[in-house]
Amino acid sequence: MKIIPSDPFESRLPLSEQIRQGKVLDPNCPSREILRHVTSRWGLLILIALCDETLRFSELRRKVGGISEKMLAQTLQALEEDGFVDRHSFPVVPPHVEYSLSPLGLEMKDQVAGLADWLEFNLHRILRQRELRVVGEE
């Protein structure tokens, strides 16, 4: 079931504004599911892997270490349905399928890369915080 906002402008609000207004926090907000797809563990890693190249399924699985075939297929399907990933199937035997960021995915590329960069840049601070928490619990 698709939910169509009564106000056409409502769906064009930035996510930060929707959160501020409580729209994303509403369990009926359709952006929640899309946000879950994009920010899930595998969704974000797949988008990062596809940022600069087109990859076949097996290449993508190797690049995103630790993901099962089932999770890769499910996550790719969700990202494709949301319009962030394009699937290109070639009529050859054996089947040849490639994945790349769609135009919509390319628009999101800087946001995804920015989050990944921030995490990498601040990883030492996050790990230090974890250590302090563990020491404090002892």
Side-chain angles (χ1 to χ4, degrees):
M1 176 176 92
K2 291 189 179 185
I3 299 171
I4 300 171
S6 56
D7 177 3
F9 177 73
E10 185 175 283
S11 64
R12 295 190 184 117
L13 291 175
L15 179 60
S16 58
E17 182 62 20
Q18 290 183 45
I19 291 171
R20 192 184 70 69
Q21 293 182 9
K23 295 186 186 318
V24 174
L25 302 177
D26 180 337
N28 298 317
C29 182
S31 63
R32 267 190 170 191
E33 184 178 0
I34 297 165
L35 184 62
R36 184 175 52 84
H37 294 162
V38 171
T39 60
S40 72
R41 174 183 182 185
W42 301 119
L44 192 59
L45 293 174
I46 289 168
L47 292 169
I48 290 168
L50 293 173
C51 270
D52 295 317
E53 60 187 330
T54 296
L55 296 169
R56 294 180 69 173
F57 186 90
S58 57
E59 294 170 324
L60 191 51
R61 184 162 181 232
R62 279 191 296 275
K63 191 164 186 174
V64 180
I67 191 169
S68 68
E69 284 188 26
K70 180 181 177 182
M71 279 309 304
L72 179 56
Q74 287 176 349
T75 307
L76 282 169
Q77 183 179 14
L79 293 171
E80 184 182 358
E81 286 174 2
D82 292 339
F84 298 120
V85 171
D86 282 336
R87 180 182 187 273
H88 305 280
S89 181
F90 299 91
V92 294
V93 176
H96 180 99
V97 179
E98 293 181 342
Y99 297 90
S100 61
L101 291 182
S102 67
L104 194 58
L106 288 169
E107 287 180 33
M108 192 174 51
K109 176 181 171 179
D110 290 340
Q111 306 302 318
V112 169
L115 177 58
D117 290 346
W118 185 91
L119 286 170
E120 285 297 320
F121 183 75
N122 290 286
L123 185 59
H124 68 284
R125 294 171 55 205
I126 298 165
L127 294 176
R128 186 175 337 113
Q129 183 63 34
R130 283 184 178 180
E131 288 174 12
L132 292 173
R133 189 174 170 104
V134 169
V135 170
E137 291 175 358
E138 291 178 354

